[in-house]
Amino acid sequence: MEIVLKVNGVERRVDTDPDTPLLWVIRESLSLTGTKFGCGIGACGACTVHVNGTAVRSCSVAAVTVQNQAITTIEGLATVAGPAGGLQLHAVQAAWVAQQVPQCGYCQSGMIMAVVALLQQIPAPTDAQIDAQVTNICRCGTYERVRRAIHSLSSQPSAAEESGRLS
Ligand code: FES
Ligand code: FES
């Protein structure tokens, strides 16, 4: 069947089975491979994207159920800036670079998407709020650096405002 998805502001038409998870449509039909497969059962968060600004585990959502809703993947976070068309990182991505958060990097797309959604709700979260809402699993154990990067953003009011532009 043909479905219509709005991904990173662009309308995309895709032929897929009714029960195909959003993750596989994003990765295989749309070739947006920044969103990762980890567990496939909604447990690890590697596949996290936004649907209407809310963090969603795309392995556990049928693509057909999110037609015509605003889907954002990691590829949609940075914005094109300047006459040369260079990419300007989202504030959360910039904080990840500054704080050297990733190790192997595999989980980090989903981690960043979860954090952007968290900061939309809670601009200056405590460690307890981070732990409660960002339940993504990182096998490299970058949790402390994730917290540090989030707190570095919390001290910059503009970072939370930038997260708000994705809603
Ligand atoms: S692959 Fe979706 S939660 Fe693990
Ligand atoms: S950075 Fe390696 S799994 Fe998280």
Side-chain angles (χ1 to χ4, degrees):
M1 65 180 292
E2 184 182 77
I3 64 172
V4 181
L5 299 175
K6 287 186 198 164
V7 181
N8 300 332
V10 178
E11 186 174 291
R12 309 290 297 266
R13 293 177 181 273
V14 176
D15 278 315
T16 188
D17 293 329
D19 57 352
T20 301
L22 177 60
L23 170 63
W24 297 117
V25 172
I26 288 171
R27 285 185 57 85
E28 299 198 341
S29 300
L30 303 181
S31 299
L32 294 170
T33 55
T35 304
K36 303 303 185 190
F37 169 72
C39 64
I41 57 170
C44 75
C47 64
T48 303
V49 300
H50 292 176
V51 177
N52 298 328
T54 299
V56 166
R57 297 189 172 185
S58 62
C59 70
S60 302
V61 176
V64 68
T65 65
V66 292
Q67 290 192 82
N68 298 310
Q69 299 184 51
I71 299 165
T72 305
T73 70
I74 189 73
E75 290 89 349
L77 278 191
T79 52
V80 176
L87 281 180
Q88 179 171 341
L89 293 181
H90 186 281
V92 173
Q93 292 172 306
W96 252 234
V97 174
Q99 299 294 332
Q100 301 185 343
V101 173
Q103 188 165 320
C104 80
Y106 194 84
C107 72
Q108 296 293 331
S109 298
M111 191 76 80
I112 288 172
M113 297 307 286
V115 168
V116 171
L118 167 68
L119 292 174
Q120 287 174 1
Q121 294 180 343
I122 309 173
T126 63
D127 281 347
Q129 288 171 321
I130 293 169
D131 292 348
Q133 297 215 27
V134 181
T135 57
N136 299 44
I137 294 171
C138 173
R139 293 186 66 180
C140 298
T142 61
Y143 304 109
E144 193 54 45
R145 294 203 294 273
V146 167
R147 290 190 203 106
R148 191 165 67 225
I150 292 171
H151 292 315
S152 77
L153 289 163
S154 302
S155 62
Q156 303 171 35
S158 60
E161 289 164 13
E162 182 170 355
S163 293
R165 75 177 162 77
L166 291 169
S167 59

